[in-house]
Amino acid sequence: MKKLCLLFVGLALAATSGFAQTRYYEFNYDSWDNLNKVEISRAGDHIETSLGFAFPMYFGWSTLTGAEANPGGPWARINSIYPGREYDQVGQNFVFELQLVDLRIRYDMLYLSAGLRWTFMDYAFSNPARTLARIDDAYWPVVISDPAYDFKKSKIHASYFGVPVRVGVEVGKATVYAGGSIEMLTEGYTKYRRPKTSSNIKQVFNPIRATLEGGFSYANFGVFVQCGLTPFFDPEYSPARTLTFGLTLGL
């Protein structure tokens, strides 16, 4: 993490060094107009570079598209007997994202930004009696056999750390942007409570998550949408991709 922060500081300084004669440095913090945002900026003739610790938060929901099983994968054997069984997990879901760093270059109303982001994705099994378990070197949907389980909620979870890149337009307090991201899987597991139980299933997920995304915000509130370019699971299991949408706070 220390090396990544130093890299972004270096990029910010390099980006500003070739600009027109510097007019000012500015340190901005405002608890309302720039909610969750601390920014150091440098401006020249029409061009401004800023390194922000901006902490915008994303709250959303996600669905899986292209939910047919991979004909060559292990879940296809389940699907041939029980159509759709491999997608028992598609039920209640929740997505939370937190952007930690934002390096931004502005030219009048236009800006280009890159940052660091942590993503948390939860999917509840629509059938709470099911989970994923490893059998014969593959992961299968199975019935939870723990006699102490309360059969209320069983989930799969994946979290990522990566780099979003955007191009946007700012007009007053309104912002419209489009971009994409590359993220690496950091955790993947099943979980349920009462009793609290979790199991590592990182091999089930695709280790790389790439998205196209866009959004609109006014002041500190907005909406966003993300379209997955890579399968959510390891392609051996399924080609399904994520479609995520929701609200932003502090963008």
Side-chain angles (χ1 to χ4, degrees), residues 59-131:
F59 303 88
W61 300 265
S62 187
T63 186
L64 296 180
T65 62
E68 68 280 0
N70 184 338
W75 289 351
R77 284 175 276 171
I78 299 175
N79 192 52
S80 64
I81 303 172
Y82 304 105
R85 176 65 59 84
E86 78 281 5
Y87 278 93
D88 277 350
Q89 69 267 22
V90 181
Q92 244 181 339
N93 65 84
F94 178 71
V95 175
F96 175 75
E97 297 180 350
L98 177 65
Q99 186 154 324
L100 303 173
V101 176
D102 181 58
L103 173 63
R104 185 168 296 195
I105 299 173
R106 296 186 181 91
Y107 181 81
D108 288 338
M109 295 186 298
L110 301 176
Y111 73 86
L112 172 67
S113 71
L116 297 175
R117 185 172 69 196
W118 176 70
T119 300
F120 173 100
M121 304 186 78
D122 247 6
Y123 282 86
F125 286 79
S126 57
N127 181 348
R130 294 195 172 276
T131 188

Side-chain angles (χ1 to χ4, degrees), residues 231-243:
F232 180 56
F233 298 107
D234 185 309
E236 177 187 356
Y237 291 95
S238 171
R241 301 176 183 182
T242 56
L243 178 62

